[in-house]
């Protein structure tokens, strides 16, 4: 984009004050570490976040152009446009910038496959054809606007994703994007909760083609295909991708996606794409444990200026104080000269505060002088692999950012700490969605504690805590002091409550600013003594009340003695919160008891609150109570299993965050009366094909799931476990599944695929908590983030 503030005010219907600054980029997140030389900071007020508070901070960081929803104070050399609604203003600005674009705008929508089709089109683009694609899944009302504003103007094609979650959204996107070509992928159940039927959602999506000259779809996707042909039977160019040859993929979804890509390039007058060039589409940034205590952020196969800016921001957030390393390949097909391109890249890297730059490729190496600070350059990935310096990696956060020809998967393999084939995949975007779902159900001003005990219910410690800190959660809660110390060592600075605080850990808790749950007079006295030894004053503690669960906490008759003890220790301790635990809030048959607990908590906590000479926060509601007992919200709520999306099968708005995957390492063909596994428990009654996968009870796969009690999914079909589960492996029956090969994936549990932890818990007669927390620490965690 390229505007002055006075032009923006005219286009957006806002009022302009101050100096008429020139802007070329938009920043909407005050936490962004990377900003262009002439950024526009857009401040907006949401339900729980108001970024107007950061205008002063952004001015201090060099921003001199602002778009706000209310008047703000800035320096004398800054300019500001004030509008009623910032997102509406950005959409008007994006529509204006799009109207100036002379290339072909392609809008892509659908329930699934939008990002894959977009990336495959980009990967198969003819040499020399400059193409823009929206970064990752920038497909929302805000994301689509930002994508359009990133177009430089000299591209021949711009691919813009468009996603909706409720009625009324697509018309706004269509007016802004004004596509020349609309491409429809599949139609499914994603984001169905706000639509009465699949047909209603389909009708909403079809609005994206309202003024497009050409429409591309796949006839296999009904009712979309039939409705589309009916709605647009007006002489416009409709192309069904179904007759095209495609790439010969084994799975139907990939084959249909390839047919859409082939049909698109024919529509553009280009030859059949070479699907052999396709590389894996990195749908999200993956965070993995690296060698020598490092963290790896894997963003290979997606190298352009826009994605680099997003990845550098994420590197800064994940690092949380660690030194950082960027391993970057040549950036291909930018449409700029190398001098212009790498001058911009070097400025971007410097602004992001990257500690070490490793450039790989002849173009980057030739531009080495543009980069400042600690740096090294190599002509190829092989060249660097032969000369890796462990000091570049040890203890650092490392971003791998490569083009599709750089083969950075070899770097990822060399730098990853674990090579265990079995991985637990944790979707941080789904976790953020769950967090926002519960936040939306809180009254204004109610705070939130996120439970990250037991390594975040098996999902991992630091990565989850870092995301929650970034999202502005008020407290974290762990079970034991050691968990809190680990988070402090990894750079987590927010308040952390230790729920099982014992006297042996009080000293280390004070040293690390961890706040204890106090549940009896003895622990209160011993913790106060530890605080005094360290010379602290007014140290925050959290008083636990027993309202009926009878695990830990003060009984009602103990309150006078508690208040007397708090009075004696008033210089040492300050009660930050008073709380209790609801033990049946998820069980409708026990609602009377839950209401009894709430009433008891109200009475007991009110007595403490009135007696103490300072404000105290009260909380008793857990995930289930946030949904079912809004009267129990008080000042704060605790979010546990709901954050991770489990235990709420009835709620389509919540998304389970974890998927346990492994791969087949050997296939055998056996005939009866052969047996499989220890104790010959797997007795074959027919010719059987077995697949061995490297996951066993040492990885957390319960032995009671053997002998057919549980099935993994292979190629989308159930493969029962044959025989007993071994310590490090088990065997599957894949006899009835065609086309299985060694190296194919097996889903141990996958909420998206249907074999859920809840179902596994039902087989074992337990709860999802146990399933999630049982996944062994030796199983590598991979974190996905848009």
């Amino acid at each position: 984009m390229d505007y002055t503030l006075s032009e923006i005010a005219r286009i957006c219907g806002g009022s302009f004050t101050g100096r008429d600054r020139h802007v070329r980029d938009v920043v909407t997140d005050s936490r962004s570490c990377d900003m262009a030389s002439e950024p526009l900071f857009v401040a907006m007020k949401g339900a729980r976040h108001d970024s107007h508070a950061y205008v002063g901070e952004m001015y201090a960081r060099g921003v001199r152009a602002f778009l706000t929803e209310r008047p703000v104070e800035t320096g004398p050399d800054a300019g500001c446009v004030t509008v009623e609604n910032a997102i509406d203003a950005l959409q008007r600005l994006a529509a204006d910038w799009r109207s100036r674009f002379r290339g072909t705008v392609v809008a892509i929508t659908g329930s699934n496959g939008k990002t894959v089709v977009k990336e495959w089109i980009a990967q198969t683009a003819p040499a020399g054809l400059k193409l823009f694609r929206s970064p990752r899944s920038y497909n929302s009302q805000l994301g689509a606007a930002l994508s359009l504003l990133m177009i430089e103007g000299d591209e021949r094609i711009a691919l813009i994703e468009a996603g909706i979650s409720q009625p009324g959204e697509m018309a706004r996107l269509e007016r802004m994007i004004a596509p020349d070509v609309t491409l429809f992928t599949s139609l499914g159940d994603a984001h169905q909760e706000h639509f009465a039927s699949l047909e209603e959602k389909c009708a909403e999506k079809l609005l994206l083609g309202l003024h497009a000259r050409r429409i591309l779809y796949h006839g296999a996707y009904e009712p979309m295909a039939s409705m589309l042909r009916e709605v647009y039977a007006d002489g416009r160019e409709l192309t069904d991708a179904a007759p095209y040859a495609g790439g010969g993929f084994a799975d139907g979804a990939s084959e249909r996606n390839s047919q859409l890509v082939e049909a698109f390039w024919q529509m553009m007058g280009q030859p059949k794409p070479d699907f052999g060039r396709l590389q894996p589409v990195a749908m999200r940034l993956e965070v993995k444990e690296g060698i020598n205590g490092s963290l790896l952020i894997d963003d290979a196969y997606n190298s352009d200026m826009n994605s680099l800016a997003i990845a550098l921001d994420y590197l800064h957030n994940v690092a949380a104080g660690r030194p950082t390393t960027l391993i970057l390949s040549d950036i291909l097909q930018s449409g700029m000269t190398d001098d212009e391109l790498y001058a911009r890249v070097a400025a971007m890297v410097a602004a992001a505060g990257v500690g070490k730059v490793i450039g790989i490729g002849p173009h980057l190496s030739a531009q080495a002088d543009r980069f400042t600070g600690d740096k090294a350059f190599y002509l190829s990935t092989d060249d660097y692999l032969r000369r890796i310096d462990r000091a570049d990696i040890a203890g650092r956060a490392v971003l791998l950012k490569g083009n599709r020809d750089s083969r950075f998967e070899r770097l990822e393999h060399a730098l990853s700490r674990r090579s265990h084939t079995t991985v637990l995949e944790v979707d941080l975007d789904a976790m953020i969605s769950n967090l926002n779902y519960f936040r939306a159900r809180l009254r204004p001003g109610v705070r939130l504690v996120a439970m990250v005990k037991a390594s975040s219910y098996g999902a991992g410690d630091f990565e989850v805590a870092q995301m929650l800190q970034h999202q502005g959660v008020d407290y974290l809660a762990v079970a034991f002091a050691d968990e809190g110390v680990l988070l402090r060592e990894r750079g987590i600075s927010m308040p952390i409550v230790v729920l099982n605080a014992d006297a042996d850990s009080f000293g280390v808790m004070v040293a690390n600013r961890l706040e204890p749950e106090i549940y009896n007079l003895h622990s209160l006295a011993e913790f106060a003594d530890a605080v005094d030894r360290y010379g602290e004053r007014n140290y925050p503690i959290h008083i636990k009340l027993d309202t009926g669960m009878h695990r830990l906490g003060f009984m009602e008759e103990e309150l006078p003695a508690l208040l007397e003890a708090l009075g004696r220790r008033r210089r040492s301790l300050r009660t930050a919160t008073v709380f209790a635990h609801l033990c049946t809030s998820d069980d409708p048959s026990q609602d009377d008891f839950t209401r009894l607990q709430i009433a008891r908590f109200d009475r007991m906590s009110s007595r403490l609150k009135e007696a103490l000479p300072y404000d105290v926060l009260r909380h008793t509601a857990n995930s289930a109570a946030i949904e079912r007992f809004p009267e129990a919200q008080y000042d704060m709520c605790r979010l546990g299993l709901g954050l991770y999306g489990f235990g709420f099968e009835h709620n389509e708005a919540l998304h389970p965050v974890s998927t346990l995957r492994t791969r087949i390492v050997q296939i055998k063909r056996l005939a009866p009366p052969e047996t499989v596994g220890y104790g010959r428990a797997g007795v074959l009654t027919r010719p059987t094909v077995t697949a061995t996968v490297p996951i066993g009870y040492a990885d957390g796969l319960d032995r009671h799931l053997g002998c057919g009690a549980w099935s993994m999914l292979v190629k989308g079909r159930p493969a029962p476990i044959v025989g007993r589960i071994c310590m490090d492996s088990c065997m599957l029956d894949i006899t009835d599944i065609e086309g299985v090969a060694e190296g194919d994936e097996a889903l141990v549990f996958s909420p998206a695929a249907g074999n859920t932890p809840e179902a596994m818990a039902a087989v074992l007669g337990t709860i999802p908590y146990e399933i999630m927390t049982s996944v062994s620490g030796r199983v590598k965690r991979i974190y996905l983030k848009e």
Side-chain angles (χ1 to χ4, degrees):
M1 60 179 268
D2 190 351
Y3 290 101
T4 62
L5 286 176
S6 59
E7 288 179 305
I8 293 174
R10 176 182 54 80
I11 293 166
C12 299
S15 60
F16 164 63
T17 57
R19 185 171 296 185
D20 198 9
R21 288 286 186 174
H22 199 273
V23 295
R24 296 180 184 275
D25 191 28
V26 175
V27 177
T28 59
D29 190 340
S30 62
R31 298 164 294 193
S32 175
C33 70
D34 173 68
M35 292 183 293
S37 57
E38 296 175 294
L40 172 71
F41 177 62
V42 179
M44 57 189 79
K45 187 179 188 307
R48 296 189 171 273
H49 181 75
D50 187 349
S51 56
H52 291 81
Y54 302 102
V55 167
E57 176 186 324
M58 298 303 282
Y59 180 85
R61 293 174 58 189
V63 178
R64 293 296 181 267
F66 298 89
L67 190 148
T68 65
E69 295 178 338
R70 64 170 184 261
V72 294
E73 291 292 330
T74 60
D77 55 343
C80 184
V81 175
T82 304
V83 297
E84 288 188 9
N85 184 287
I87 292 181
D88 287 346
L90 281 176
Q91 290 189 338
R92 291 188 189 184
L93 191 63
D96 180 84
W97 188 245
R98 185 268 173 268
S99 71
R100 305 183 188 198
F101 180 59
R102 293 297 169 257
T104 299
V105 174
V106 182
I108 303 175
T109 193
S111 298
N112 298 293
K114 296 188 295 294
T115 302
V116 169
V117 169
K118 179 190 70 181
E119 292 297 323
W120 283 8
I121 290 175
Q123 288 188 24
T124 56
L129 186 151
K130 187 177 180 183
L131 176 148
F132 169 84
R133 65 187 185 277
S134 52
R136 300 194 176 275
S137 293
Y138 271 41
N139 57 33
S140 65
Q141 298 291 317
L142 175 60
L146 295 176
S147 294
L148 288 167
L149 291 169
M150 291 176 187
I151 296 174
E152 294 180 355
D154 62 342
E155 300 91 345
R156 288 176 56 186
I157 295 173
L159 305 173
I160 307 295
E161 277 193 52
I164 58 170
S165 58
Q166 54 189 344
E169 292 184 332
M170 190 59 87
R172 294 179 66 185
L173 291 176
E174 193 277 335
R175 286 193 297 270
M176 176 174 55
I177 300 170
D180 301 301
V181 177
T182 300
L183 190 159
F184 294 95
T185 63
S186 68
L187 182 69
D189 293 331
H191 303 293
Q192 182 66 41
E193 59 267 20
H194 296 296
F195 295 93
S197 66
L198 204 61
E199 287 73 16
E200 182 186 33
K201 183 170 68 174
C202 182
E204 178 77 13
K205 287 185 177 293
L206 292 186
L207 293 176
L208 190 59
L210 196 60
H211 298 101
R213 300 191 308 272
R214 292 176 286 186
I215 293 173
L216 175 58
Y217 68 100
H218 200 292
Y221 295 126
E222 293 288 0
M224 178 177 286
S226 296
M227 291 179 65
L228 192 150
R229 287 190 289 261
E230 180 181 348
V231 170
Y232 293 120
D234 55 3
R236 273 187 284 180
E237 183 181 332
L238 299 183
T239 300
D240 183 355
Y244 287 80
F249 292 90
D251 67 287
S254 295
E255 181 63 7
R256 289 187 287 274
N257 287 338
S258 70
Q259 290 171 309
L260 285 165
V261 172
E262 181 179 344
F264 171 78
W265 282 123
Q266 178 165 315
M267 180 184 288
M268 293 293 105
Q270 299 294 336
K272 177 180 171 65
D274 178 7
F275 291 107
R277 295 170 53 197
L278 293 180
Q279 299 287 352
V281 175
M283 299 294 290
R284 296 177 172 91
L285 294 158
E286 293 185 355
V287 182
K288 310 171 185 179
E289 293 183 61
I291 59 174
N292 300 108
S294 65
L295 284 177
L296 295 184
I297 304 169
D298 188 3
D299 194 29
Y301 308 121
N302 190 20
S303 186
D304 55 49
M305 291 292 290
N306 293 317
S307 67
L308 177 60
I310 295 167
L312 286 172
D313 235 18
Y314 193 54
L315 171 67
H316 174 75
N317 294 332
V318 167
R322 288 170 175 253
T324 54
T325 295
L326 167 65
I327 304 180
L328 178 68
S329 76
D330 287 344
I331 295 177
L332 306 178
Q333 295 184 341
S334 70
M336 292 179 273
T337 66
D338 278 3
D339 287 348
E340 181 185 2
L341 170 64
Y342 292 110
R344 291 179 60 180
V345 170
M348 185 183 294
V349 171
V354 174
K356 170 101 184 197
V357 177
I358 297 170
I360 296 178
H363 296 276
L364 256 175
S365 297
Q367 299 283 330
D369 290 344
R370 296 189 180 277
F371 294 82
T372 59
D374 193 5
K375 59 186 179 179
F377 291 83
Y378 303 87
L379 291 176
S380 68
T381 302
D382 287 334
D383 189 21
Y384 178 57
L385 282 168
R386 286 192 294 267
R387 294 186 282 172
I388 288 177
D389 184 348
R390 301 289 166 168
D392 298 341
I393 309 300
R396 305 174 76 92
V398 181
L399 171 62
L400 302 179
K401 198 80 176 70
N403 63 57
R404 62 176 179 257
D405 296 326
S406 61
R407 300 293 304 278
F408 266 24
E409 74 275 7
R410 293 174 294 165
L411 268 182
E412 185 275 330
H413 181 74
L415 300 180
S416 291
R417 184 171 76 85
R418 293 191 180 97
S419 58
H420 196 332
T421 303
T422 301
V423 299
L424 184 73
E425 191 176 88
V426 181
D427 188 338
L428 294 179
D429 288 310
M431 201 177 295
I432 292 171
S433 175
N434 296 338
L435 172 65
N436 290 334
Y437 170 84
F438 284 101
R439 273 180 161 166
R441 277 145 186 79
L442 301 180
R443 296 191 311 272
V446 175
R447 305 186 192 189
L448 203 59
V449 183
M451 309 299 290
V452 294
K453 62 181 182 177
S455 193
S456 300
Y457 294 39
D461 41 47
F462 164 73
E463 290 79 10
V464 173
Q466 190 273 339
M467 178 275 292
L468 293 168
Q469 179 170 276
H470 192 67
Q471 291 294 319
V473 170
D474 299 283
Y475 282 88
L476 300 179
V478 298
F480 300 103
D482 288 347
E483 296 175 310
V485 171
L486 177 62
L487 294 180
R488 287 285 186 248
E489 290 174 346
R490 300 287 294 276
I492 301 300
S493 58
M494 64 186 294
I496 299 175
V497 180
V498 178
L499 299 175
N500 291 80
D502 61 90
D504 290 341
S505 64
F506 284 165
V508 73
M509 287 179 61
V510 177
N512 287 276
R513 297 301 300 176
L514 304 175
E515 304 174 16
E517 169 190 305
I518 298 296
Y519 47 83
N520 60 28
L521 294 175
H522 184 69
S523 64
L524 187 149
E526 289 201 326
F527 188 75
D529 290 341
V531 167
D532 292 341
R533 286 196 302 273
Y534 276 81
E536 295 278 351
R537 290 289 181 269
N538 295 314
Y539 199 97
I541 62 172
H542 303 264
I543 299 295
K544 178 68 174 293
L545 303 178
D546 186 351
T547 60
M549 186 167 178
H550 302 321
R551 182 172 61 183
L552 294 172
F554 290 91
M555 302 289 284
E556 191 163 9
E557 58 269 23
E558 296 176 292
L559 294 187
L562 170 61
L563 285 169
E564 182 183 352
L566 289 172
R568 290 197 307 270
R569 299 289 193 164
R570 63 182 176 273
R571 293 189 61 192
S572 303
L573 306 177
R574 178 182 59 83
T575 303
T577 75
V578 176
F579 72 106
H581 198 92
L582 300 176
C583 54
T584 59
S585 59
D586 60 339
D587 184 355
S589 69
Q590 298 282 349
D591 281 356
D592 288 344
F593 183 76
T594 299
R595 293 188 181 94
L596 175 66
Q597 277 198 283
I598 295 170
R600 190 174 291 163
F601 174 75
D602 188 78
R603 184 172 65 248
M604 294 171 68
S605 62
S606 295
R607 186 173 175 183
L608 289 175
K609 189 176 178 70
E610 292 166 3
L612 293 171
Y614 44 74
D615 287 336
V616 177
L617 300 177
R618 298 188 289 172
H619 56 104
T620 193
N622 52 14
S623 300
I626 292 173
E627 276 204 308
R628 303 191 64 245
F629 296 94
E631 71 273 19
Q633 290 186 12
Y634 292 95
D635 305 304
M636 191 155 66
C637 296
R638 296 189 305 278
L639 186 55
L641 199 61
L643 176 64
Y644 306 96
F646 296 103
F648 290 80
E649 305 94 302
H650 64 285
N651 193 328
E652 294 181 356
L654 292 175
H655 309 287
V657 304
S658 298
T659 297
L660 187 58
R661 305 175 184 271
T662 188
R663 290 195 179 275
I664 295 169
V665 295
Q666 188 173 27
I667 292 175
K668 293 182 181 293
R669 287 165 174 80
L670 306 171
E674 296 282 357
T675 58
V676 177
Y678 284 117
R680 305 187 69 197
V683 180
L684 302 184
T685 59
R686 63 169 183 165
T688 302
V689 183
T690 65
T692 301
V693 291
I695 180 172
Y697 58 79
D699 301 295
L701 190 66
D702 194 293
R703 290 182 75 247
H704 296 92
L705 296 171
C707 298
W710 184 252
S711 296
M712 300 184 195
L713 293 182
V714 176
K715 291 189 174 297
R717 298 187 60 189
I721 297 173
V722 184
R724 295 176 183 170
I725 292 172
C726 310
M727 179 182 289
D728 308 301
S729 60
C730 64
M731 286 66 76
L732 309 177
D733 184 346
I734 59 169
T735 309
D736 300 322
I737 307 174
E738 294 183 2
V740 181
E742 292 176 0
D744 283 354
E745 184 176 74
L747 295 176
V748 184
F749 61 72
S750 173
N755 59 336
T756 65
E758 289 91 344
M760 184 181 285
V763 170
L764 295 171
T766 184
I767 55 177
Y769 288 84
E770 182 175 346
I771 303 301
M772 299 310 305
T773 58
S774 295
V775 179
S776 168
R778 76 178 187 176
V779 173
K780 179 166 62 178
R781 269 68 172 171
I782 293 179
Y783 298 92
L784 306 182
K785 180 75 177 69
E786 289 288 2

